[in-house]
Short mmCIF file of all heavy atoms in Angstrom, two decimals:
data_model
loop_
_atom_site.label_atom_id
_atom_site.label_comp_id
_atom_site.label_asym_id
_atom_site.label_seq_id
_atom_site.Cartn_x
_atom_site.Cartn_y
_atom_site.Cartn_z
N LEU S 59 119.94 -50.58 -80.90
CA LEU S 59 118.87 -50.14 -79.99
C LEU S 59 118.80 -48.62 -79.92
O LEU S 59 119.81 -47.94 -80.11
CB LEU S 59 119.11 -50.72 -78.59
CG LEU S 59 118.96 -52.24 -78.50
CD1 LEU S 59 119.33 -52.72 -77.10
CD2 LEU S 59 117.57 -52.68 -78.87
N PRO S 60 117.63 -48.07 -79.60
CA PRO S 60 117.44 -46.63 -79.66
C PRO S 60 118.04 -45.83 -78.51
O PRO S 60 117.91 -44.62 -78.47
CB PRO S 60 115.92 -46.47 -79.68
CG PRO S 60 115.43 -47.66 -78.96
CD PRO S 60 116.39 -48.77 -79.31
N ASN S 61 118.73 -46.48 -77.57
CA ASN S 61 119.33 -45.71 -76.48
C ASN S 61 120.60 -44.99 -76.91
O ASN S 61 121.20 -44.28 -76.13
CB ASN S 61 119.57 -46.58 -75.24
CG ASN S 61 120.24 -47.88 -75.56
OD1 ASN S 61 120.45 -48.22 -76.71
ND2 ASN S 61 120.55 -48.64 -74.54
N LEU S 62 121.03 -45.17 -78.14
CA LEU S 62 122.14 -44.43 -78.74
C LEU S 62 121.56 -43.60 -79.88
O LEU S 62 120.81 -44.12 -80.71
CB LEU S 62 123.20 -45.40 -79.28
CG LEU S 62 124.29 -44.81 -80.15
CD1 LEU S 62 125.19 -43.86 -79.35
CD2 LEU S 62 125.14 -45.92 -80.75
N TYR S 63 121.91 -42.30 -79.92
CA TYR S 63 121.49 -41.47 -81.04
C TYR S 63 122.72 -40.83 -81.67
O TYR S 63 123.19 -39.79 -81.21
CB TYR S 63 120.48 -40.39 -80.64
CG TYR S 63 119.91 -39.73 -81.88
CD1 TYR S 63 118.87 -40.33 -82.57
CD2 TYR S 63 120.46 -38.56 -82.38
CE1 TYR S 63 118.37 -39.76 -83.73
CE2 TYR S 63 119.95 -38.00 -83.54
CZ TYR S 63 118.92 -38.60 -84.20
OH TYR S 63 118.43 -38.05 -85.35
N PRO S 64 123.28 -41.48 -82.71
CA PRO S 64 124.45 -40.90 -83.36
C PRO S 64 124.06 -39.73 -84.26
O PRO S 64 122.95 -39.67 -84.78
CB PRO S 64 125.00 -42.06 -84.19
CG PRO S 64 123.85 -42.96 -84.39
CD PRO S 64 122.90 -42.75 -83.25
N LEU S 65 124.97 -38.82 -84.42
CA LEU S 65 124.76 -37.67 -85.29
C LEU S 65 125.54 -37.86 -86.58
O LEU S 65 126.59 -38.52 -86.58
CB LEU S 65 125.22 -36.39 -84.58
CG LEU S 65 124.48 -36.07 -83.28
CD1 LEU S 65 125.16 -34.93 -82.56
CD2 LEU S 65 123.03 -35.79 -83.54
N PRO S 66 125.07 -37.29 -87.68
CA PRO S 66 125.85 -37.38 -88.93
C PRO S 66 127.25 -36.82 -88.72
O PRO S 66 127.46 -35.87 -87.97
CB PRO S 66 125.04 -36.52 -89.90
CG PRO S 66 123.65 -36.59 -89.37
CD PRO S 66 123.79 -36.64 -87.87
N ASP S 67 128.21 -37.45 -89.35
CA ASP S 67 129.64 -37.13 -89.29
C ASP S 67 130.32 -37.58 -88.00
O ASP S 67 131.50 -37.35 -87.83
CB ASP S 67 129.91 -35.65 -89.55
CG ASP S 67 129.61 -35.26 -90.98
OD1 ASP S 67 129.81 -36.11 -91.88
OD2 ASP S 67 129.16 -34.13 -91.21
N GLU S 68 129.61 -38.21 -87.08
CA GLU S 68 130.26 -38.82 -85.92
C GLU S 68 131.02 -40.05 -86.39
O GLU S 68 130.72 -40.61 -87.45
CB GLU S 68 129.23 -39.24 -84.87
CG GLU S 68 129.06 -38.25 -83.77
CD GLU S 68 128.27 -38.81 -82.61
OE1 GLU S 68 127.05 -38.97 -82.78
OE2 GLU S 68 128.87 -39.05 -81.56
N THR S 69 131.97 -40.49 -85.60
CA THR S 69 132.74 -41.67 -85.98
C THR S 69 132.50 -42.81 -85.01
O THR S 69 132.10 -42.60 -83.86
CB THR S 69 134.25 -41.37 -86.03
OG1 THR S 69 134.68 -40.94 -84.75
CG2 THR S 69 134.56 -40.33 -87.08
N LEU S 70 132.75 -44.01 -85.50
CA LEU S 70 132.67 -45.20 -84.67
C LEU S 70 133.78 -46.15 -85.08
O LEU S 70 134.30 -46.06 -86.19
CB LEU S 70 131.29 -45.87 -84.77
CG LEU S 70 130.85 -46.46 -86.10
CD1 LEU S 70 131.17 -47.94 -86.18
CD2 LEU S 70 129.37 -46.26 -86.28
N GLU S 71 134.14 -47.03 -84.17
CA GLU S 71 135.15 -48.05 -84.41
C GLU S 71 134.46 -49.40 -84.52
O GLU S 71 133.66 -49.75 -83.64
CB GLU S 71 136.16 -48.10 -83.27
CG GLU S 71 136.94 -46.82 -83.07
CD GLU S 71 137.98 -46.62 -84.14
OE1 GLU S 71 138.57 -47.61 -84.60
OE2 GLU S 71 138.18 -45.45 -84.54
N TRP S 72 134.77 -50.14 -85.58
CA TRP S 72 134.21 -51.47 -85.77
C TRP S 72 135.24 -52.32 -86.48
O TRP S 72 135.79 -51.91 -87.50
CB TRP S 72 132.92 -51.38 -86.59
CG TRP S 72 132.32 -52.70 -86.97
CD1 TRP S 72 131.97 -53.71 -86.14
CD2 TRP S 72 131.99 -53.14 -88.29
NE1 TRP S 72 131.44 -54.76 -86.86
CE2 TRP S 72 131.44 -54.42 -88.19
CE3 TRP S 72 132.11 -52.56 -89.55
CZ2 TRP S 72 131.02 -55.15 -89.30
CZ3 TRP S 72 131.68 -53.29 -90.65
CH2 TRP S 72 131.13 -54.56 -90.52
N ARG S 73 135.54 -53.49 -85.92
CA ARG S 73 136.52 -54.42 -86.48
C ARG S 73 137.87 -53.74 -86.73
O ARG S 73 138.53 -54.00 -87.74
CB ARG S 73 136.01 -55.04 -87.76
CG ARG S 73 134.85 -55.98 -87.58
CD ARG S 73 134.49 -56.64 -88.87
NE ARG S 73 133.42 -57.60 -88.71
CZ ARG S 73 132.87 -58.26 -89.71
NH1 ARG S 73 133.28 -58.05 -90.95
NH2 ARG S 73 131.91 -59.11 -89.49
N GLY S 74 138.24 -52.83 -85.87
CA GLY S 74 139.55 -52.19 -85.96
C GLY S 74 139.64 -51.05 -86.95
O GLY S 74 140.71 -50.49 -87.14
N ASP S 75 138.54 -50.70 -87.60
CA ASP S 75 138.53 -49.59 -88.56
C ASP S 75 137.61 -48.48 -88.07
O ASP S 75 136.70 -48.71 -87.27
CB ASP S 75 138.05 -50.07 -89.94
CG ASP S 75 139.05 -51.00 -90.60
OD1 ASP S 75 140.27 -50.77 -90.45
OD2 ASP S 75 138.61 -51.96 -91.26
N THR S 76 137.82 -47.28 -88.60
CA THR S 76 137.01 -46.13 -88.24
C THR S 76 136.02 -45.83 -89.36
O THR S 76 136.39 -45.81 -90.53
CB THR S 76 137.91 -44.90 -87.99
OG1 THR S 76 138.86 -45.23 -86.98
CG2 THR S 76 137.09 -43.71 -87.53
N TYR S 77 134.78 -45.61 -88.99
CA TYR S 77 133.70 -45.33 -89.93
C TYR S 77 133.02 -44.02 -89.55
O TYR S 77 132.99 -43.64 -88.39
CB TYR S 77 132.66 -46.45 -89.93
CG TYR S 77 133.19 -47.74 -90.49
CD1 TYR S 77 133.91 -48.62 -89.69
CD2 TYR S 77 133.00 -48.08 -91.82
CE1 TYR S 77 134.42 -49.80 -90.20
CE2 TYR S 77 133.50 -49.26 -92.34
CZ TYR S 77 134.21 -50.12 -91.53
OH TYR S 77 134.71 -51.27 -92.04
N ARG S 78 132.45 -43.37 -90.55
CA ARG S 78 131.73 -42.12 -90.35
C ARG S 78 130.24 -42.36 -90.57
O ARG S 78 129.84 -43.05 -91.50
CB ARG S 78 132.23 -41.07 -91.35
CG ARG S 78 131.55 -39.73 -91.24
CD ARG S 78 132.23 -38.70 -92.12
NE ARG S 78 132.20 -39.05 -93.53
CZ ARG S 78 131.32 -38.57 -94.41
NH1 ARG S 78 130.41 -37.72 -94.02
NH2 ARG S 78 131.36 -38.94 -95.66
N VAL S 79 129.42 -41.77 -89.73
CA VAL S 79 127.96 -41.89 -89.85
C VAL S 79 127.49 -40.95 -90.96
O VAL S 79 127.77 -39.75 -90.93
CB VAL S 79 127.27 -41.54 -88.52
CG1 VAL S 79 125.76 -41.57 -88.68
CG2 VAL S 79 127.73 -42.47 -87.42
N LEU S 80 126.78 -41.50 -91.94
CA LEU S 80 126.24 -40.70 -93.03
C LEU S 80 124.79 -40.29 -92.78
O LEU S 80 124.40 -39.15 -93.00
CB LEU S 80 126.32 -41.47 -94.35
CG LEU S 80 127.72 -41.91 -94.79
CD1 LEU S 80 127.62 -42.75 -96.05
CD2 LEU S 80 128.63 -40.72 -94.98
N ARG S 81 123.98 -41.24 -92.34
CA ARG S 81 122.55 -41.00 -92.09
C ARG S 81 122.09 -41.82 -90.89
O ARG S 81 122.64 -42.87 -90.61
CB ARG S 81 121.70 -41.46 -93.28
CG ARG S 81 121.83 -40.69 -94.53
CD ARG S 81 120.90 -39.49 -94.51
NE ARG S 81 120.99 -38.78 -95.77
CZ ARG S 81 119.98 -38.55 -96.57
NH1 ARG S 81 118.78 -38.96 -96.26
NH2 ARG S 81 120.16 -37.89 -97.68
N VAL S 82 121.06 -41.34 -90.23
CA VAL S 82 120.44 -42.07 -89.12
C VAL S 82 118.94 -42.12 -89.39
O VAL S 82 118.32 -41.10 -89.70
CB VAL S 82 120.71 -41.39 -87.77
CG1 VAL S 82 120.02 -42.15 -86.64
CG2 VAL S 82 122.20 -41.29 -87.51
#
Side-chain angles (χ1 to χ4, degrees):
L59 293 175
N61 47 354
L62 169 66
Y63 190 82
L65 299 171
D67 292 327
E68 263 192 287
T69 60
L70 65 95
E71 298 286 324
W72 174 55
R73 292 185 177 176
D75 291 323
T76 303
Y77 292 84
R78 180 172 61 99
V79 176
L80 302 176
R81 292 274 183 122
V82 179

